[in-house]
Amino acid sequence: MPGGGVSPSSGDVSRVEAPVTVKAYLMCVFAAFGGIFFGYDSGYISGVMGMKVFIELIEGTGATTLTSSHKSLITSILSAGTFFGALMAGDIADWLGRRITVIVGCAIFIVGVILQVATGGLGLIVAGRLVAGFGVGFVSAIIILYMSEIAPRKVRGAIVSGYQFCICLGLLLASCVNYGTQERTDTSSYRIPIGLQMLWALILGGGLFFLPESPRFFVKKGKLDLAATALASLRDQPVESSYIQDELAEIIANNEHEMAAVPQGSYFNAWANCFKGSLWDTSSYLRRTVLGTSMQMMQQWTGVNFVFYFGTTFFMQLGTIDNPFLISMITTLVNVCTTPISFWTMERAGRRALLIWGALGMCICQFIVAIIGTVRPEDPNAVKTMIAFICIYIAFFATTWGPGAWVVIGEIFPLPMRAKGVALSTASNWLWNCIIAVITPYMVDEDKGNLGAKVFFIWGGLCSLCFVYAYLLIPETKGLTLEQVDQMLSETTPRTSAKWVPHTTYAAEMGMTEKSKVGHLEHVSGDESV
């Protein structure tokens, strides 16, 4: 270690972060607002595709349903845009900053919404959703990164879970708006749900102008004075506070340790570093990249977006439900009401335990739905039971894999690759989101695969894989700073990670514990590449 002569045990692990204040908490809570238009944008399309006016706009006068190909294209094109937007966001976040990248994403999103509102047919709807997708990709990737980097460790899991809650709230708002406009006989039936999205982007983008940049971004760029100022604002402490000095020293030391271990070099080397190391080394960059991308893949494999994207049309196909729009609104309400439970359980039970048991609970519910729907598909009472277990399944997702996957990907990457790692993981989420959106209509539509409720056999089987995956590969990160997570991954395995406790700091190991002023902290890496 650089700066030898300092005992590894001399670092005070209890002073690596200032106490949580109301101001710090509220700033992080506002950042979670980004989930609202992410959720709203994902949720409104299910209802719009079931509206008579919209169907006739796309298919022609007299049409009663969208074709499978149009349904697939309209739904999936947004995810295609978000995939590429998320990948681009990693570079922009390292270049311009986390906060500015989210603001840019909001602006791009608004342009996409305007195109959709102005639509007169399939072309502009598809183009608008593609452009909006780029904006959602920016926001969905970087807002998680931003929140993880600014949130105090004691509430980081709850704060990032709040992002998932806002996604659920956005889904519910979309269902409510769809329910309120479904009977309109003019184009306002779909223009109102589409256009309302601009409000959420304006609130988030405007509010972020008043929030500080991530201090870890400034450390990465070598701007330590700005890092100290931003950190002091986030922690509601004076710059000269020993808490600020100690936390900043730890962030700097961790960054220098990682930069010494894996130098960044050129732009292409920085991306190549994400895939360096051994897959069997729990702390290697490759292992973390694979963990982040596969976790987001697994979240999509739970099948929850089948309910939110195609729930209205699926419930229509059952033939025994009087108001499919109402049932879709109920499922999103369950999602909203159960997600706040994770605010407490994420810090109490931990990430690993929730993801393991959540996968098991979803698996059981999905197999029950599939069995009932196969054995008694036309029995109204059986359909009610199916809906009940779909709601329970959503509750399991909302309290475990929904927030848990986002929390973990915000924690497992070291600072030199964090923006790119989170971007790759988010892109994986949207890639699989897109794949599922493309193939699902062909699996369940009556003129195609016509699986109906049998599709839950597929989701149940995939959730059983999620259970095995969580047990074998997901580490426990609760209660640790981002720098302590880095230490934990290098010293333990996923199955023993819950027992790990911090025993030193990077600042102690690198000889920074005696330096009390920000101006004296030397950024020895000297690398400001993005």
Side-chain angles (χ1 to χ4, degrees):
M1 286 290 177
V6 179
S7 168
S9 63
S10 64
D12 185 354
V13 298
S14 66
R15 290 188 61 83
V16 292
E17 192 172 89
V20 181
T21 65
V22 173
K23 177 185 175 183
Y25 188 79
L26 290 177
M27 282 193 290
C28 297
V29 167
F30 177 79
F33 184 85
I36 284 191
F37 80 78
F38 174 13
Y40 187 96
D41 193 62
S42 298
Y44 86 86
I45 198 63
S46 172
V48 165
M49 289 193 301
M51 292 179 180
K52 185 177 186 298
V53 177
F54 185 79
I55 292 171
E56 292 187 342
L57 173 74
I58 303 300
E59 304 295 346
T61 304
T64 58
T65 184
L66 294 176
T67 64
S68 297
S69 59
H70 285 163
K71 193 187 302 182
S72 173
L73 175 63
I74 293 170
T75 306
S76 64
I77 195 65
L78 178 107
S79 302
T82 52
F83 171 76
F84 291 105
L87 288 179
M88 293 167 57
D91 285 328
I92 297 173
D94 275 345
W95 177 37
L96 295 178
R98 284 62 163 133
R99 187 174 60 96
I100 297 301
T101 302
V102 176
I103 294 172
V104 170
C106 291
I108 295 173
F109 178 79
I110 289 173
V111 173
V113 173
I114 291 172
L115 290 175
Q116 293 175 71
V117 171
T119 189
L122 181 64
L124 269 185
I125 279 287
V126 171
R129 281 180 63 78
L130 179 64
V131 172
F134 275 93
V136 173
F138 276 42
V139 175
S140 61
I142 305 307
I143 202 72
I144 289 293
L145 171 66
Y146 180 66
M147 286 191 296
S148 297
E149 289 193 339
I150 70 172
R153 59 174 173 167
K154 293 180 181 179
V155 295
R156 189 175 60 242
I159 292 294
V160 180
S161 295
Y163 172 75
Q164 178 65 25
F165 173 69
C166 286
I167 293 176
C168 301
L169 194 58
L171 287 165
L172 178 62
L173 287 171
S175 291
C176 292
V177 174
N178 284 338
Y179 185 73
T181 64
Q182 62 172 314
E183 299 298 336
R184 287 175 174 261
T185 58
D186 56 18
T187 59
S188 66
S189 63
Y190 64 84
R191 291 187 198 274
I192 290 174
I194 293 173
L196 193 59
Q197 300 172 95
M198 285 189 284
L199 176 61
W200 321 129
L202 287 170
I203 292 173
L204 177 64
L208 281 174
F209 274 109
F210 302 99
L211 293 186
E213 180 55 82
S214 163
R216 288 175 168 89
F217 166 73
F218 286 131
V219 167
K220 179 177 173 64
K221 302 293 284 185
K223 300 176 180 179
L224 303 188
D225 289 342
L226 292 176
T229 301
L231 187 60
S233 176
L234 287 167
R235 301 293 181 254
D236 199 18
Q237 298 274 342
V239 172
E240 61 273 11
S241 164
S242 61
Y243 283 112
I244 300 301
Q245 300 297 321
D246 289 347
E247 184 172 358
L248 185 57
E250 180 69 356
I251 295 171
I252 295 168
N254 171 255
N255 185 53
E256 292 177 355
H257 168 76
E258 292 295 335
M259 295 292 287
V262 186
Q264 295 296 288
S266 68
Y267 169 81
F268 294 104
N269 283 341
W271 274 105
N273 285 340
C274 296
F275 304 95
K276 284 186 176 179
S278 169
L279 192 59
W280 311 112
D281 178 3
T282 55
S283 64
S284 74
Y285 282 20
L286 173 62
R287 174 69 173 254
R288 299 188 208 205
T289 299
V290 171
L291 178 61
T293 53
S294 61
M295 183 174 299
Q296 290 296 325
M297 176 185 73
M298 289 289 180
Q299 190 203 54
Q300 290 303 303
W301 280 11
T302 62
V304 72
N305 277 332
F306 165 73
V307 178
F308 296 131
Y309 283 168
F310 303 104
T312 303
T313 53
F314 172 73
F315 294 134
M316 285 179 176
Q317 291 172 1
L318 292 178
T320 57
I321 297 176
D322 293 331
N323 194 332
F325 284 88
L326 180 60
I327 301 301
S328 291
M329 192 166 68
I330 290 172
T331 59
T332 55
L333 184 62
V334 170
N335 198 22
V336 169
C337 292
T338 54
T339 297
I341 297 173
S342 67
F343 297 177
W344 181 77
T345 56
M346 198 63 64
E347 301 298 349
R348 181 71 174 180
R351 288 67 155 150
R352 176 177 164 82
L354 285 182
L355 293 171
I356 291 172
W357 295 111
L360 181 61
M362 288 188 290
C363 177
I364 293 171
C365 290
Q366 287 166 332
F367 279 127
I368 291 174
V369 171
I371 292 169
I372 293 174
T374 301
V375 175
R376 308 189 73 175
E378 298 180 358
D379 184 337
N381 291 325
V383 170
K384 291 177 183 178
T385 304
M386 286 171 55
I387 293 172
F389 274 99
I390 287 174
C391 290
I392 296 172
Y393 146 63
I394 290 172
F396 270 112
F397 175 85
T399 53
T400 58
W401 276 85
W406 293 109
V407 171
V408 173
I409 68 163
E411 297 174 329
I412 60 175
F413 296 106
L415 181 56
M417 69 165 295
R418 186 170 295 136
K420 292 177 173 61
V422 173
L424 285 168
S425 301
T426 307
S428 173
N429 178 290
W430 287 110
L431 174 64
W432 285 98
N433 191 306
C434 180
I435 291 171
I436 289 172
V438 168
I439 66 175
T440 298
Y442 294 96
M443 291 194 297
V444 299
D445 281 4
E446 294 176 352
D447 61 339
K448 301 296 180 182
N450 197 25
L451 287 178
K454 296 184 184 71
V455 73
F456 282 93
F457 279 122
I458 296 175
W459 305 134
L462 291 174
C463 272
S464 66
L465 294 180
C466 292
F467 172 77
V468 175
Y469 170 89
Y471 177 75
L472 294 177
L473 297 177
I474 295 177
E476 182 53 72
T477 56
K478 73 168 182 175
L480 303 177
T481 66
L482 297 181
E483 289 68 39
Q484 288 170 346
V485 170
D486 202 40
Q487 284 184 323
M488 178 270 292
L489 290 174
S490 66
E491 297 177 5
T492 187
T493 65
R495 283 182 286 176
T496 60
S497 58
K499 298 179 182 178
W500 186 87
V501 293
H503 52 82
T504 186
T505 65
Y506 280 105
E509 292 186 2
M510 300 187 71
M512 291 185 176
T513 52
E514 300 301 320
K515 301 177 182 180
S516 59
K517 298 296 181 183
V518 171
H520 295 160
L521 292 170
E522 298 176 344
H523 191 52
V524 297
S525 70
D527 187 286
E528 296 184 14
S529 64
V530 296

